[in-house]
Amino acid sequence: MSAGLGFVGEILRSSFVVLLLLGCALSFIYGVWMLLQPDQALRFNQRISAWVSTEGVSKVLDRPHSTERYIYRYHRIYGALLLAGGLFTLYVMSGGRWGRDMTAVFSLSEWSWLVRDVATLLMVMAGFLATALGIIMVIRPSLLRGVEARLNRWIATENNLKPLDSVYYAPDQFAWRHARPLAALIVIGSLYVLVALIPLLRTLF
């Protein structure tokens, strides 16, 4: 299993390095083109640029999606799952099987005892809360309606996504005004990354 995962990891790492090399090579070519013929290079960039509007995404996010009726219709199933999860968490954190493995995850620094204790406390509290909610949902879910009505809040995303739906021409204007210095930076940066990655590519293959 570990050998297979290592093989897959090597493939992914090699693919990432190759893609990065190709990207740097294309960036170097474009930088040289922009250095020699800035007007043509920038016009080409404008032709291939595409505007992606977030209006459709914001409409989907701003549309109410009610899950309460499905939860209350199958409240015994959801309550049983919540109850099982809460009891399992309490069992594990009380010293049951896998308990030490879970707490050992937080033992990675000199303050591991504090992180471990806080994480254990939070998980125990979550287990008790899930157990209590699971029992209520199985027996009498109507008790949660009042709490749910007070806690539910609608957060509109329309105003938050408006800045993403605006066109900003400042970067393009800056590129037109400083085409050759910007092209020189692109060429130098791409060449530096290419030279740095070539030895790594030899070790991978």
Side-chain angles (χ1 to χ4, degrees), residues 11 18 34 43 52 61 66 82 95 109-110 124 144 155 194:
I11 292 178
V18 171
M34 187 174 170
R43 288 195 185 96
V52 180
L61 294 176
S66 177
L82 199 58
S109 66
E110 59 178 322
V124 169
L144 298 175
I155 300 176
L194 282 171

Side-chain angles (χ1 to χ4, degrees), residues 67-78 137 141 145:
T67 59
E68 287 85 353
R69 60 176 181 173
Y70 298 104
I71 292 176
Y72 284 112
R73 182 182 299 176
Y74 306 103
H75 65 92
R76 289 188 176 88
I77 297 176
Y78 290 111
M137 287 186 65
R145 291 185 185 272

Side-chain angles (χ1 to χ4, degrees), residues 1-136:
M1 183 69 176
S2 59
L5 291 176
F7 177 70
V8 173
E10 286 294 328
I11 292 178
L12 292 176
R13 188 175 65 171
S14 302
S15 302
F16 175 75
V17 173
V18 171
L19 290 175
L20 192 59
L21 277 169
L22 289 176
C24 290
L26 292 175
S27 179
F28 176 77
I29 294 172
Y30 182 79
V32 173
W33 183 23
M34 187 174 170
L35 194 63
L36 299 176
Q37 297 176 330
D39 292 340
Q40 293 184 7
L42 290 174
R43 288 195 185 96
F44 173 77
N45 180 60
Q46 286 183 338
R47 283 197 298 270
I48 65 173
S49 296
W51 170 250
V52 180
S53 177
T54 61
E55 185 178 357
V57 177
S58 63
K59 285 183 178 179
V60 174
L61 294 176
D62 269 335
R63 190 181 304 151
H65 299 278
S66 177
T67 59
E68 287 85 353
R69 60 176 181 173
Y70 298 104
I71 292 176
Y72 284 112
R73 182 182 299 176
Y74 306 103
H75 65 92
R76 289 188 176 88
I77 297 176
Y78 290 111
L81 292 174
L82 199 58
L83 178 60
L87 291 175
F88 176 76
T89 302
L90 292 176
Y91 163 73
V92 170
M93 301 314 297
S94 64
R97 190 179 178 185
W98 306 297
R100 291 183 178 178
D101 296 335
M102 292 185 67
T103 55
V105 175
F106 305 102
S107 303
L108 299 176
S109 66
E110 59 178 322
W111 294 97
S112 60
W113 61 271
L114 179 60
V115 177
R116 184 183 63 247
D117 292 346
V118 172
T120 302
L121 178 61
L122 291 176
M123 293 183 72
V124 169
M125 292 172 61
F128 276 115
L129 181 61
T131 302
L133 290 177
I135 293 174
I136 294 174

Side-chain angles (χ1 to χ4, degrees), residues 14 17-18 21 196-205:
S14 302
V17 173
V18 171
L21 277 169
L197 286 178
I198 287 175
L200 180 61
L201 187 65
R202 291 176 180 173
T203 61
L204 293 176
F205 300 99

